[in-house]
Amino acid sequence: MKKSERNEDAVSPVIGVMLMLVVTVIIAAIVSGFAGGMSDNQNMAPTAAIQCSITKTDADNAVLTLKHMSGDSLDTGDLRFYIDYFDSSDNPVQKRTQGVSTAGFTNSQGDSVSATVPYLTDVKVGDVGDSEVNFGQFLWNPGQILTTGNAEGFHAVTDLYPADIEIGDIICIRLVDTNSQKTVFDKDVRVQ
């Protein structure tokens, strides 16, 4: 009688190779996910519909007004203004600001006050000159309006004097969320 022996040595190396292939594929998928941004923790930019106007009321006064129409509430402490225009020599100019403290405003009691422009015009929050309405100190909610208030405020935000602009001039107004570095609002605004 012949004794037949089974040779089971080949089973172990095949299973070993298969396991190594599975582990390699899993590691490749993880590396690919990280490289492709699967694990990206970037802040999402808020979204908002904003109306903007620049009104030149006379030769010595201009006002920038922004109205939050709808969307996310915007933390003004996280917003930066970019104002782009061409100067009188047709050179491009860009002004950046996160709000500028300016004097020359009058509150509802008739007192002369300073404010960080553009300031919030919501009387439920506070009066011009109150810290609660200074740019960078409040959440800008739908329905609320920001304004530069007067010629001094307009100059502080745009670096333009009202006498330097004409009706029909175009000024680009852009708001950027500093957390995400994404644009929330970008529009060419015609002076009215």
Side-chain angles (χ1 to χ4, degrees), residues 28-89:
I30 291 171
V31 169
S32 174
F34 278 104
M38 183 172 94
S39 67
D40 220 1
N41 286 337
Q42 278 189 353
N43 292 335
M44 296 295 295
T47 57
I50 299 170
Q51 284 183 345
C52 182
S53 66
I54 298 173
T55 306
K56 184 171 180 174
T57 54
D58 58 48
D60 297 325
N61 197 17
V63 177
L64 169 67
T65 306
L66 297 121
K67 183 173 184 182
H68 190 322
M69 302 302 291
S70 65
D72 297 329
S73 294
L74 303 172
D75 185 347
T76 56
D78 295 334
L79 292 179
R80 176 173 284 154
F81 275 92
Y82 289 85
I83 312 294
D84 297 297
Y85 56 89
F86 289 93
D87 65 12
S88 59
S89 302

Side-chain angles (χ1 to χ4, degrees), residues 75-78 98-99 116 118 133-138:
D75 185 347
T76 56
D78 295 334
Q98 282 186 287
T116 302
V133 298
N134 283 336
F135 191 81
Q137 301 297 317
F138 59 88

Side-chain angles (χ1 to χ4, degrees), residues 6-191:
R6 284 183 150 179
N7 189 359
E8 294 184 9
D9 290 340
V11 173
S12 182
V14 170
I15 291 175
V17 168
M18 293 300 290
L19 285 174
M20 285 177 30
L21 283 173
V22 168
V23 169
T24 303
V25 168
I26 290 171
I27 290 173
I30 291 171
V31 169
S32 174
F34 278 104
M38 183 172 94
S39 67
D40 220 1
N41 286 337
Q42 278 189 353
N43 292 335
M44 296 295 295
T47 57
I50 299 170
Q51 284 183 345
C52 182
S53 66
I54 298 173
T55 306
K56 184 171 180 174
T57 54
D58 58 48
D60 297 325
N61 197 17
V63 177
L64 169 67
T65 306
L66 297 121
K67 183 173 184 182
H68 190 322
M69 302 302 291
S70 65
D72 297 329
S73 294
L74 303 172
D75 185 347
T76 56
D78 295 334
L79 292 179
R80 176 173 284 154
F81 275 92
Y82 289 85
I83 312 294
D84 297 297
Y85 56 89
F86 289 93
D87 65 12
S88 59
S89 302
D90 282 337
N91 295 317
V93 177
Q94 182 180 77
K95 164 81 184 227
R96 291 184 309 198
T97 182
Q98 282 186 287
V100 181
S101 182
T102 308
F105 298 101
T106 304
N107 66 13
S108 59
Q109 287 82 30
D111 300 327
S112 185
V113 295
S114 296
T116 302
V117 290
Y119 63 87
L120 183 65
T121 62
D122 191 341
V123 294
K124 295 176 193 168
V125 177
D127 196 359
V128 62
D130 294 345
S131 63
E132 296 85 15
V133 298
N134 283 336
F135 191 81
Q137 301 297 317
F138 59 88
L139 273 178
W140 187 19
N141 297 308
Q144 293 179 322
I145 298 172
L146 302 182
T147 184
T148 56
N150 58 24
E152 289 85 8
F154 182 78
H155 174 70
V157 171
T158 65
D159 225 14
L160 287 165
Y161 291 102
D164 296 337
I165 62 171
E166 300 292 330
I167 293 175
D169 286 353
I170 294 178
I171 300 172
C172 178
I173 309 292
R174 191 165 32 120
L175 287 171
V176 174
D177 175 59
T178 57
N179 283 334
S180 64
Q181 296 300 314
K182 299 213 168 116
T183 301
V184 176
F185 174 77
D186 188 0
K187 185 174 181 187
D188 289 336
V189 180
R190 186 175 302 275
V191 178

